[in-house]
Amino acid sequence: ELANTGNTVQFFGMQCDRKVLGLMGAAMDGILGGSNLIPMKIAPSIDRGADYIISFAIGAAIATVAGWILRFLMASHRKQSFEAGFKSLPSMHLTKILLPGALSGTLWSIGNIGQIMSVTFLGETIGMSIVQSQMIISGILGIVWFDEIQGRKKIIGWVLSAVVTFIGIICLSGEHKS
């Protein structure tokens, strides 16, 4: 539950700095997202690659449902009532977000198929590193489409960082031994 008050937000009953929460979320994504295909590497070799996609999707669905159940239980505990906890959950606004949400989920899923292929054929070290080129694409979209970085100096700094990242991706991709 987030309640916005400028640079801080109410997060599970605590007042938290937006930047700290953002960095914690990024760290969580880096740790968990960076290791999400480790289970594939220890699965029997016949179940790797494209065969792994269905079980990956099932795991994503389970995590989503578990997240909503946890949120409901926390809200119910805080409100001391299941009914009040349910009513405090955010509206799904399906008439407004069904298409954008479904498109985002579709793009994410197709991207994960590419990630699974990359790790299957190039290995965790090279494949996952190259997959991180997604941050260059999201950064470009953030600058061009959403105006998230403004000012010539800041944009030039971001572009220089993206070039260094891209060079690193190219260097890493050359390390794979067939």
Side-chain angles (χ1 to χ4, degrees):
E1 179 179 324
L2 295 173
N4 190 356
T5 58
N7 288 334
T8 63
V9 292
Q10 187 77 15
F11 184 71
F12 291 113
M14 299 179 294
Q15 203 65 20
C16 298
D17 183 86
R18 295 174 66 86
K19 192 173 194 176
V20 170
L21 280 177
L23 292 171
M24 286 173 44
M28 184 171 66
D29 179 53
I31 293 165
L32 298 176
S35 58
N36 70 351
L37 294 182
I38 297 296
M40 181 183 73
K41 299 298 279 186
I42 60 175
S45 61
I46 194 155
D47 295 324
R48 295 182 188 166
D51 295 337
Y52 191 74
I53 293 168
I54 297 298
S55 61
F56 184 91
I58 291 168
I62 290 169
T64 301
V65 170
W68 272 102
I69 291 171
L70 179 63
R71 187 172 183 165
F72 165 69
L73 292 174
M74 290 178 73
S76 297
H77 176 71
R78 191 171 49 253
K79 303 276 185 180
Q80 299 296 308
S81 160
F82 285 121
E83 183 179 350
F86 181 77
K87 287 181 179 179
S88 73
L89 292 174
S91 171
M92 294 290 185
H93 298 287
L94 289 180
T95 57
K96 296 177 185 174
I97 63 168
L98 181 61
L99 184 60
L103 180 59
S104 291
T106 300
L107 292 171
W108 181 76
S109 294
I110 292 169
N112 277 318
I113 292 169
Q115 180 183 35
I116 288 169
M117 289 171 50
S118 177
V119 170
T120 298
F121 298 116
L122 299 175
E124 188 76 31
T125 306
I126 307 301
M128 279 300 272
S129 298
I130 294 171
V131 164
Q132 298 313 309
S133 63
Q134 64 188 328
M135 68 182 150
I136 295 173
I137 301 302
S138 65
I140 291 169
L141 290 172
I143 292 169
V144 173
W145 196 323
F146 299 111
D147 277 338
E148 291 177 346
I149 298 177
Q150 297 174 349
R152 183 183 189 109
K153 191 174 183 178
K154 289 181 181 179
I155 292 173
I156 289 172
W158 184 91
V159 168
L160 292 174
S161 297
V163 167
V164 169
T165 300
F166 188 71
I167 290 169
I169 290 168
I170 297 292
C171 291
L172 284 170
S173 68
E175 293 298 316
H176 182 66
K177 295 184 175 34
S178 298

